[in-house]
Amino acid sequence: MANTLRDSYNKTTYKLGNHGKRNVQVLKEAIQKVDENTESDMYGQGQIIEDFQQKMANLLGKEAAVFFPSGTMAQQIALRIWCDEKDLGKVAYHPLSHLEIHEQDGLKKLHKIETVLLADETRVIELEDIKQMENGVACVLLELPQREIGGQLPSFATLEEISHYCKEQGIKLHLDGARLLEVLPYYQKTAAEVCALFDSVYMSFYKGIGGIAGAILAGSEEFTSQSKVWKRRYGGDLISLYPYILSADYYYEKRAHKMGEYYESAKELAAFFNACEGIRTLPITPVSNMFHVHFELGKEEVEAILTDIQEIMGIGISGYVNAIDENTCSFEISLGDAYKEVPTETVRKMFDILAEKISE
C-alpha cells in the first residue's frame, strides 16, 4: 500500500505542499540566464562564492558567512568550534534535534562530544530547561522551528531570555535555522533581529527556499575562519560549489519574500484538515509554513483513503504516512508555491470527500 500511495501522489496534477517536482528543471531554471563566462569558484575562493557569502552575512547580521555543501557538516563543525573554545566537549539540544536522530551520531563519533537532551519530545525548549541542565555545557543549540514536533516555536520573548541567560553564563548559543526564513512572518522580525540573539547561525537553501542543496554558516570573523579550516578537514571544499550557489541565490531571490504567503497558506490548509472529524494538525494553528497532520486511524486505513482521494481528485496530499501506534498516524506538510496552483473549489471538494471517507 505504501508504494501505491507514493505512486498515486506522483501521478497527481496538483500538490498541496512544497514548490513542485525536484528534478533537473530546478537547476536548469536557476542557471538559464547566467552569463556563460561567469567564472566558477575554486576551493572556497572566487567572486561567485565570496559575494554570496557576504550577501548572506548581511542578511543574517553577522560579520561573515561560509557556504557549505550540507547543513550536517556545517552544524557539527559549529559545535566543535564552540567546544574547543570552551575546552568543554559537551553541548545541549532538543531530543529530536537533527543531530540526535538523523546523523548517525556524527557529532559523538567524529568529535567525541557528549550531548545533553533538553525538554521532552513533545514541546520546545524553554528557559527553565536550560537553567536546570547539568553544568559544563559549551553550547546550546536551538532549532527554529522544531521540525519533528510540527514546526513549533518558542515565543520571541523566550528566545531573548535564553540568549541573555546564556551570555551571562558564558554558554554559546547556536541557531539551527534550517528554516529560518519560514519563521520570520510569525515573529514579525528580520533575519538579523533573530540572529542577533545567537553566536552562530546555520540556514539551509533547499528546504523552504527550494534550491538544489547547500547551507550557510554565519558568525564572527574568527568563528568563520575556523569553520573554513574544518570545512577543508571534512572534505567540504569541493573544487567548485557554484551549481549549488547559483541555485541558492536564484531561489532565495525568487521565494524569500513569499514566506508570509506560505505562512498564510499553511494556516488556511490546517483549518481545512482540522474541520474533518478524526483529523488534527500539530500545531492546531501553524506558526510557520509547515505542520503535521494526525489521523485517529491506523496507517493502512489512511494510506488507502489518501490513495483513493489522490486518484479521484488529482491532488497530491502526501506520498507517505508514518505510524504512531496501531490506531494513529501522521505525515508532514510544508507549504510553498504549489498550493496556490490548486483551484480553491477543487481543494474544498477534496476535503469534503476526505471528511466523508474518514467518517465512514
Side-chain angles (χ1 to χ4, degrees):
M1 184 61 72
N3 288 334
T4 302
L5 176 60
R6 172 57 66 179
D7 289 344
S8 71
Y9 179 82
N10 289 339
K11 292 175 182 176
T12 55
T13 303
Y14 302 107
K15 302 289 188 294
L16 292 181
N18 301 312
H19 300 298
K21 293 181 178 180
R22 286 189 62 83
N23 54 24
V24 176
Q25 179 58 34
V26 176
L27 179 59
K28 290 177 70 175
E29 179 183 332
I31 65 174
Q32 63 182 342
K33 294 183 179 180
V34 177
D35 184 347
E36 63 184 22
N37 295 311
T38 300
E39 292 188 7
S40 72
D41 58 303
M42 292 192 67
Y43 296 115
Q45 296 184 331
Q47 185 173 353
I48 194 169
I49 189 170
E50 291 165 7
D51 286 353
F52 185 68
Q53 288 174 161
Q54 187 59 55
K55 179 177 180 176
M56 291 299 106
N58 294 341
L59 170 74
L60 302 175
K62 297 299 181 186
E63 290 180 358
V66 181
F67 188 88
F68 280 80
S70 81
T72 297
M73 182 187 298
Q75 294 211 105
Q76 289 182 15
I77 286 171
L79 296 182
R80 173 61 185 265
I81 291 170
W82 294 136
C83 284
D84 283 353
E85 180 178 295
K86 303 290 293 182
D87 196 24
L88 289 170
K90 190 183 296 183
V91 299
Y93 49 54
H94 194 274
L96 298 180
S97 167
H98 193 279
L99 289 99
E100 187 68 15
I101 66 175
H102 291 306
E103 298 181 15
Q104 301 295 316
D105 285 337
L107 190 67
K108 302 166 188 176
K109 298 293 185 181
L110 296 176
H111 301 285
K112 308 303 180 186
I113 291 175
E114 298 178 44
T115 56
V116 176
L117 304 182
L118 303 177
D120 62 52
E121 295 186 354
T122 65
R123 63 175 178 83
V124 298
I125 295 170
E126 300 287 350
L127 176 61
E128 286 305 309
D129 298 308
I130 296 174
K131 285 184 174 181
Q132 294 170 12
M133 72 183 180
E134 60 189 76
N135 293 327
V137 170
C139 180
V140 170
L141 177 149
L142 297 182
E143 180 185 356
L144 304 179
Q146 194 71 52
R147 177 195 176 186
E148 299 292 339
I149 52 174
Q152 295 183 55
L153 286 169
S155 69
F156 194 76
T158 295
L159 293 181
E160 291 177 314
E161 291 170 350
I162 290 173
S163 177
H164 180 71
Y165 177 80
C166 286
K167 281 183 172 64
E168 280 188 333
Q169 301 300 313
I171 300 168
K172 295 297 183 180
L173 190 60
H174 172 75
L175 173 57
D176 178 343
R179 297 167 175 80
L180 170 62
L181 299 180
E182 290 94 304
V183 307
L184 301 181
Y186 176 76
Y187 281 140
Q188 289 294 291
K189 302 290 183 182
T190 66
E193 286 172 329
V194 175
C195 295
L197 303 177
F198 295 84
D199 297 290
S200 55
V201 179
Y202 143 67
M203 188 174 76
S204 170
F205 292 114
Y206 74 86
K207 295 183 171 68
I209 294 172
I212 303 299
I216 207 77
L217 184 63
S220 67
E221 291 281 3
E222 173 61 23
F223 171 83
T224 52
S225 292
Q226 291 186 56
S227 77
K228 289 179 180 180
V229 175
W230 276 106
K231 181 183 175 186
R232 175 61 60 89
R233 289 169 176 161
Y234 260 72
D237 256 339
L238 309 187
I239 184 171
S240 295
L241 288 166
Y242 68 89
Y244 305 118
I245 296 166
L246 289 171
S247 72
D249 196 25
Y250 175 82
Y251 288 108
Y252 169 79
E253 291 295 333
K254 181 176 181 177
R255 294 180 175 137
H257 65 284
K258 292 184 177 182
M259 295 301 163
E261 174 187 314
Y262 303 154
Y263 173 45
E264 294 302 320
S265 294
K267 290 189 287 185
E268 177 180 287
L269 184 60
F272 279 126
F273 278 113
N274 286 311
C276 299
E277 185 177 352
I279 302 178
R280 65 177 177 83
T281 65
L282 181 67
I284 294 297
T285 302
V287 291
S288 71
N289 70 320
M290 70 168 293
F291 56 89
H292 290 186
V293 182
H294 287 253
F295 295 82
E296 296 175 8
L297 287 172
K299 180 176 183 287
E300 291 187 2
E301 292 177 279
V302 171
E303 286 177 343
I305 290 171
L306 296 184
T307 298
D308 285 346
I309 293 175
Q310 289 176 165
E311 291 177 349
I312 293 169
M313 296 300 301
I315 298 178
I317 304 170
S318 180
Y320 77 96
V321 175
N322 289 328
I324 298 173
D325 55 38
E326 290 184 0
N327 301 308
T328 59
C329 61
S330 69
F331 65 82
E332 177 184 296
I333 189 164
S334 296
L335 277 291
D337 289 341
Y339 182 69
K340 289 295 185 181
E341 297 175 2
V342 191
T344 302
E345 285 307 309
T346 305
V347 173
R348 293 183 185 278
K349 184 177 180 181
M350 183 205 75
F351 275 100
D352 288 341
I353 296 173
L354 177 60
E356 181 181 337
K357 287 184 174 291
I358 291 290
S359 64
E360 293 175 354

